[in-house]
Amino acid sequence: MAAGWQVLGDVGPMQFGFAGVSALLGGALAWFQAAGPAAQPAARHPVPRELPRDIADFTGRESELARLGTLLREKGQVSGPLVAISGKGGLGKTTLAVHAAQRVAADFPDGQLFVNLRGYDATPAQPAEVLGTFLRSLGTDPRAIPDAQHDREQMLRTLTAGRRLLIVLDNANGPRQIRPLLPGGPGSAVVATSRTPLSSIEGAHPIVLDLLGPEESVALLGRVAGPNRVAEDSPEARRLAALCGHLPLALRIAGARLAERPDLSLTALSDRLADERHRLDQLEIGDLDVRSTFMISYRSLPADQQRAFRLLGLFPGADFAAWPLAALMDVPLRDAERLLDALVSAQLLDAVHADETGTVRHTFHDLLRALAREQPEPDADAAAGRLLGAYLALAAEAEDRFQPGELRKTGAHPRQEVDAGHRDELLRDPVMWFIAEQRNIVACVRFAHERRLWDAAWELTHIAAPFFEMLAAWDDWDAAVRLALDAARRAENRRAEAITLFDTGALHRDQGRRDQALAVYAQALAGYEETGDRHGMAAVLLVQGIIHRNRREWEVAARLLTDAAEQLESAGDRRLAAQALRSLAVVRCGQGRLDEALPLFRGALAEFRQLGDRRAEAYAWRGLAQAELDHGDLEAAARSFGNSLEGTRELRDRRGEARALQGLGRVESARGATAAALRRFTQARTIAEEAHDEVLAGELAVDIAAAEA
């Protein structure tokens, strides 16, 4: 009996329980009976070999395999290594675990145990059930296995003590399912796989799987479909791999479909996958099915997380912060953040990076987005309206901070206010917020157009116009105004059409298409006249005057700008009235009437400063500087151009910065400092080329040629 109690340590029979003592003694008896008196030490225990068959076409994952091999062979620890492989469904976690286990199996002479924990099934494997299976695999007589889970855990630790075992726990739903199955001694190692992170298990070494790289994806496709199929059309193979989202399961299915159908070309399969609405239908063959794999994760979520997943499927952009989800669900921001964290943990979303405002952004894998969009959502229409309302509210606030004093044209789409504290944090730098959201804003305009939410489409475009203009985002601006103009016309909203035509004219003007701009401005003017919008009519006079000013048609420009300044002042638009005065000052410079230009510039500058419009102030400094340069006051011109440069750089206004650098170059050229002038001109030209500002680039070519002459 003394030897028997040594197995239990300090635990006496009354503490352990009769069933536990009987179980241990029965297990030990079964063990000795199986071994026999003449057995050698190596044959004392059964040696389970339970690893599934290795995958012959295993591809990639070299760094993960190397790390797994190093960790599993580590010795000298208090307990054996536990490697926790996590990642979304379809990434090949099980394949990697089995492949790695097969490679190191010889280092575990006492055997390998394997179990599918069915963590996301309707009835996951219970730890007590798995412990019973393991104990039988290790030679325990089934009659000697105790009923209580705690007793089974103790028996497992006893039987694995001193052994070199490798245990693979596949498809766990979390740490609670794994902890009871861990051996206690240092000789055994465990590999666990799960869709959720397992880093909370003490001593776990996490390996988080990501998608395959493009080359690995094509290689896997070729191994399954046949290398010749891929080699014959490698560009199409890369396209197919991208449409599979570089997800191993999807690639394996696509490859199997190609192998099964020699008549199915890579192009034909790619074209089928290109339609997101039916993409998941194409990614199933036999018992392999991407949709079913992902649905396991989705169905395991609580109701609020499922709703968040479905509503995020509506989001039209590539990535998003927490506040759009708050708008979609109509919940507080804190709840939205919690739900995003939960979806990331469930491997249904990825947290990708912090944007220009410091806000963490999230994104879907393409195939998961397709799954989210498949799920019926009764609140979809209302949620879409709230999302667009939130973008309108934030964009309008950003513009107010960027261009104070702007009299903006508004639509009827209801606003969805964002939490005030978070709004202030996001819009601390409104330009940075717009840069972070620029592509999403264009996507939201398209989204509004698709859903026939016409007011949201044209108004969001109108609000965003000053940012598009400053950032020289011509392609995005063009895409947005085309959709907005169509939305206004479909809604038969003459006022909205006139506003959008005005913005379209600004795009043409900034790209140097002056005749087109004047033609579109004339259409906008007709719309303003028809709807009785006197402010809009005055604004058209201003922009027409600016175009004639740029053409050096001084008299026409002076007349238009004088009328515009008076009418805008009468309409209460101090900002645009000051813009008209600044432009009129430029005209007076062109006419050689510098004594009239200087006070006009200074008056506009004072007005912009009072309004808090830093960008207009920076532009007014540049106009004043040019007048001072023309007047021959080089020192004053250098100071004013310097003020303009400082302001535009603070605002990250690259085109304004280039104009200020051009002015400083002209000052240096007037001083005879050719080398300094050329440095300024070259800096400005680089920015102009990056911004695709052909008008400025043309002017700088003339400046450089004159300086070098």
Side-chain angles (χ1 to χ4, degrees):
M1 284 299 289
W5 292 123
Q6 287 174 3
V7 175
L8 300 176
D10 294 329
V11 181
M14 296 303 293
Q15 294 167 300
F16 187 76
F18 181 77
V21 174
S22 300
L24 279 176
L25 292 176
L29 178 61
W31 171 25
F32 286 122
Q33 288 173 341
Q40 297 298 315
R44 287 178 180 174
H45 312 295
V47 180
R49 305 291 188 190
E50 296 181 353
L51 293 178
R53 180 178 64 89
D54 200 358
I55 305 297
D57 52 18
F58 186 91
T59 304
R61 306 295 191 199
E62 293 302 324
S63 61
E64 291 89 346
L65 280 170
R67 184 155 184 250
L68 272 161
T70 300
L71 290 170
L72 293 176
R73 292 185 174 102
E74 266 188 9
K75 297 180 181 178
Q77 303 181 74
V78 175
S79 60
L82 165 60
V83 184
I85 303 171
S86 63
K88 61 176 60 69
L91 281 175
K93 299 179 293 297
T94 301
T95 303
L96 174 63
V98 170
H99 189 67
Q102 291 282 11
R103 287 174 60 158
V104 301
D107 293 297
F108 296 91
D110 292 314
Q112 304 88 41
L113 298 171
F114 178 91
V115 64
N116 177 2
L117 293 173
R118 309 188 310 276
Y120 296 90
D121 286 6
T123 55
Q126 296 301 310
E129 167 197 345
V130 177
L131 286 164
T133 301
F134 281 177
L135 292 172
R136 287 191 294 274
S137 296
L138 294 172
T140 306
D141 187 324
R143 295 169 297 178
I145 296 174
D147 293 331
Q149 177 179 312
H150 176 71
D151 295 340
R152 292 184 177 194
E153 291 176 38
Q154 287 191 323
M155 181 176 279
L156 178 69
R157 291 194 288 271
T158 299
L159 292 180
T160 56
R163 291 195 191 184
R164 290 279 294 158
L165 281 165
L166 176 60
I167 302 175
V168 178
L169 306 174
D170 185 44
N171 196 20
N173 59 21
R176 290 184 180 179
Q177 200 178 19
I178 287 176
R179 278 197 178 93
L181 309 179
L182 301 178
S188 297
V190 177
V191 179
T193 74
S194 177
R195 300 191 181 200
T196 58
L198 301 172
S199 52
S200 63
I201 301 178
E202 300 77 5
H205 301 278
I207 293 181
V208 181
L209 286 196
D210 203 346
L211 303 169
L212 292 177
E215 296 306 317
E216 290 179 327
S217 297
V218 171
L220 176 56
L221 198 61
R223 289 191 176 186
V224 180
N228 292 338
R229 299 287 300 275
V230 168
E232 288 168 1
D233 195 354
S234 53
E236 198 59 46
R238 288 192 292 273
R239 179 187 173 219
L240 180 56
L243 287 167
C244 289
H246 303 293
L247 185 78
L249 175 60
L251 291 162
R252 188 170 293 281
I253 291 170
R257 293 196 64 183
L258 291 169
E260 187 180 72
R261 290 275 307 278
D263 60 308
L264 181 64
S265 69
L266 273 72
T267 300
L269 184 54
S270 294
D271 289 345
R272 294 181 186 181
L273 290 175
D275 184 351
E276 186 189 76
R277 294 169 301 173
H278 304 293
R279 188 173 299 169
L280 294 178
D281 294 334
Q282 301 296 324
L283 291 175
E284 57 177 280
I285 187 170
D287 61 346
L288 300 179
D289 181 359
V290 169
R291 180 186 283 111
S292 296
T293 298
F294 286 161
M295 284 298 290
I296 290 171
S297 295
Y298 170 71
R299 288 182 179 132
S300 70
L301 299 175
D304 60 342
Q305 294 174 29
Q306 287 189 359
R307 180 170 180 252
F309 180 76
R310 293 192 302 270
L311 287 174
L312 284 171
L314 291 173
F315 189 81
D319 56 38
F320 43 84
W323 63 265
L325 177 59
L328 284 164
M329 299 187 72
D330 198 19
V331 298
L333 179 70
R334 184 170 297 180
D335 289 349
E337 291 172 338
R338 173 183 58 79
L339 290 165
L340 286 175
D341 288 343
L343 291 175
V344 170
S345 294
Q347 299 293 337
L348 290 171
L349 279 184
D350 296 310
V352 283
H353 63 273
D355 64 22
E356 288 79 359
T357 69
T359 305
V360 175
R361 300 186 78 84
H362 300 78
T363 189
F364 274 116
H365 184 275
D366 288 349
L367 299 178
L368 281 166
R369 181 184 289 106
L371 181 77
R373 289 176 175 172
E374 284 185 351
Q375 309 312 308
E377 171 50 53
D379 193 35
D381 290 341
R386 291 193 297 268
L387 175 68
L388 293 169
Y391 266 98
L392 283 166
L394 275 175
E397 180 67 23
E399 192 196 6
D400 284 343
R401 299 182 185 204
F402 175 58
Q403 291 191 164
E406 175 87 356
L407 292 187
R408 187 187 313 109
K409 312 291 186 181
T410 58
H413 190 92
R415 300 289 197 265
Q416 177 81 10
E417 294 302 326
V418 176
D419 174 79
H422 189 58
R423 179 194 64 206
D424 291 341
E425 182 181 342
L426 287 171
L427 301 181
R428 187 166 42 244
D429 185 333
V431 176
M432 285 294 97
W433 176 81
F434 186 84
I435 290 172
E437 295 291 347
Q438 178 178 322
R439 295 298 174 84
N440 284 344
I441 285 173
V442 178
C444 280
V445 172
R446 185 174 293 109
F447 180 65
H449 187 277
E450 290 169 354
R451 289 185 164 267
R452 304 176 68 83
L453 297 170
W454 310 126
D455 275 323
W458 74 258
E459 189 184 355
L460 189 54
T461 300
H462 177 59
I463 293 171
F467 294 104
F468 284 133
E469 187 271 335
M470 188 198 77
L471 296 169
W474 312 129
D475 291 343
D476 282 348
W477 195 6
D478 183 69
V481 293
R482 287 176 185 273
L483 290 165
L485 190 56
D486 185 68
R489 287 171 173 165
R490 286 175 181 267
E492 299 181 352
N493 185 335
R494 193 75 174 96
R495 173 175 171 272
E497 182 182 0
I499 293 166
T500 308
L501 284 167
F502 184 90
D503 293 335
T504 305
L507 172 62
H508 289 317
R509 184 195 71 214
D510 285 346
Q511 292 187 286
R513 299 192 294 267
R514 293 170 182 169
D515 289 339
Q516 287 176 264
L518 284 172
V520 174
Y521 280 138
Q523 295 177 50
L525 180 60
Y528 285 138
E529 289 173 342
E530 185 180 323
T531 56
D533 187 340
R534 301 187 65 82
H535 174 263
M537 294 160 60
V540 171
L541 291 178
L542 168 61
V543 293
Q544 287 175 330
I546 290 172
I547 291 176
H548 287 290
R549 179 204 73 188
N550 292 342
R551 286 178 162 177
R552 307 177 72 84
E553 297 166 355
W554 305 126
E555 293 301 325
V556 176
R559 176 175 52 79
L560 289 167
L561 291 168
T562 301
D563 289 346
E566 292 174 357
Q567 293 182 33
L568 288 165
E569 184 73 32
S570 175
D573 193 333
R574 294 169 55 198
R575 181 180 172 278
L576 285 189
Q579 291 279 26
L581 289 177
R582 181 174 69 85
S583 293
L584 182 58
V586 175
V587 171
R588 296 306 184 210
C589 286
Q591 292 175 317
R593 296 156 64 173
L594 294 176
D595 290 342
E596 295 179 39
L598 289 171
L600 287 172
F601 276 126
R602 292 185 181 118
L605 189 61
E607 185 74 357
F608 292 137
R609 190 179 293 124
Q610 187 174 0
L611 288 170
D613 190 334
R614 294 161 57 211
R615 183 175 181 233
E617 181 184 346
Y619 281 31
W621 276 117
R622 189 177 77 223
L624 176 61
Q626 185 63 49
E628 291 165 339
L629 177 60
D630 293 342
H631 206 265
D633 191 345
L634 301 185
E635 295 306 316
R639 286 194 299 273
S640 296
F641 276 127
N643 288 335
S644 180
L645 180 63
E646 180 182 356
T648 52
R649 281 180 170 169
E650 285 179 0
L651 292 166
R652 299 173 183 82
D653 182 348
R654 295 285 281 163
R655 294 173 67 231
E657 178 185 352
R659 286 286 182 183
L661 287 167
Q662 179 191 34
L664 287 169
R666 288 174 174 174
V667 171
E668 297 294 355
S669 187
R671 287 171 171 167
T674 302
L678 287 172
R679 280 197 301 273
R680 295 292 196 180
F681 290 145
T682 301
Q683 288 176 298
R685 183 174 62 182
T686 299
I687 295 172
E689 290 172 349
E690 289 174 353
H692 306 290
D693 190 331
E694 296 177 5
V695 174
L696 177 55
E699 292 178 13
L700 286 163
V702 174
D703 288 328
I704 291 170
E708 291 175 335

